[in-house]
Amino acid sequence: MRRTVDYYFAPQSPWMYLGHDRFAELLQRTGAQVRVLPVDLGQVFPVSGGLPLPQRAPQRQAYRLVELRRFSEALGIPLNPQPRCFPVAGDPAGWLITAVAGQDGEAAAMRLTGAVARAVWAQERDIADATVLAELLDECGLDPQRLAQSQQDSVKALFAAHTAQAIDAGVFGAPSYVIDGEIFWGQDRLDFVERRLAG
């Protein structure tokens, strides 16, 4: 039986960006299925003890930049630790990824998620801007109508349901990979994800 990974993330997360392509490759290697579940960390943090980046202690903010540079260099993934369009609201991209997952499937949603993350961290683009989101749909070969569909109440409600589901699963940060109720937090846990899938 094929295993399924619940993939919880914030579309604007640099850590999701650093792990996304490797996670996609892992899914191909293992044959595992994925549920692409963008969430609103602004709803997750208050119930899990997390803080939005601007509210974190200066020491934590400084160390985050060091770690982003370290992982970017170690993985060979281009990343600007302080991009022009960050912080940025993730909900519009989250709604769009949710709409694409529902209409075009998880593979298309994975493709768009990677494009959204690159837009922030490698391309200096504003993923809260509808024009940018339309461009990303086009670059991914997806139906432009998905942008309008992403504004529907039903899609926004599903995005909210993903967030509630993440909270119920014990998720407290992004990215989180959940397999049979077991959480693996962070792109640096992908080796453990692969071992769990193999087991």
Side-chain angles (χ1 to χ4, degrees):
M1 184 177 70
R2 295 178 70 187
R3 309 297 286 276
T4 299
V5 183
D6 287 339
Y7 180 30
Y8 295 103
F9 60 90
Q12 72 274 36
S13 166
W15 307 109
M16 178 275 281
Y17 166 61
L18 287 168
H20 183 77
D21 288 345
R22 287 180 295 133
F23 177 54
E25 291 165 5
L26 184 159
L27 292 171
Q28 287 201 335
R29 277 199 312 276
T30 62
Q33 296 178 307
V34 64
R35 282 190 283 259
V36 180
L37 302 167
V39 301
D40 177 5
L41 285 183
Q43 300 297 316
V44 173
F45 282 162
V47 297
S48 65
L51 289 174
L53 180 61
Q55 296 177 28
R56 295 175 196 168
Q59 300 93 326
R60 290 180 178 269
Q61 293 193 42
Y63 189 71
R64 171 184 170 277
L65 295 176
V66 171
E67 283 279 84
L68 287 175
R69 291 188 183 96
R70 283 178 181 159
F71 276 105
S72 172
E73 292 171 6
L75 298 169
I77 298 173
L79 178 145
N80 177 357
Q82 295 178 289
R84 181 176 60 85
C85 299
F86 187 86
V88 62
D91 287 9
W95 299 332
L96 184 59
I97 293 165
T98 300
V100 166
Q103 295 292 326
D104 305 298
E106 305 295 344
M110 285 288 289
R111 195 163 70 249
L112 179 61
T113 298
V116 165
R118 282 189 299 276
V120 179
W121 297 102
Q123 299 170 352
E124 305 285 353
R125 297 161 81 182
D126 181 1
I127 62 164
D129 183 275
T131 300
V132 171
L133 292 177
E135 291 169 355
L136 293 173
L137 282 172
D138 181 63
E139 291 162 19
C140 290
L142 295 168
D143 191 329
Q145 293 183 37
R146 300 292 175 259
L147 186 59
Q149 291 166 350
S150 73
Q151 299 299 311
Q152 294 174 354
D153 289 344
S154 59
V155 171
K156 294 180 180 181
L158 186 55
F159 176 71
H162 294 163
T163 302
Q165 181 179 322
I167 292 169
D168 289 345
V171 167
F172 55 89
S176 288
Y177 317 93
V178 180
I179 305 166
D180 298 331
E182 184 176 353
I183 301 174
F184 301 82
W185 172 50
Q187 56 85 30
D188 52 343
R189 301 300 190 273
L190 283 170
D191 286 349
F192 289 110
V193 171
E194 186 157 14
R195 290 177 194 174
R196 183 70 170 81
L197 290 172

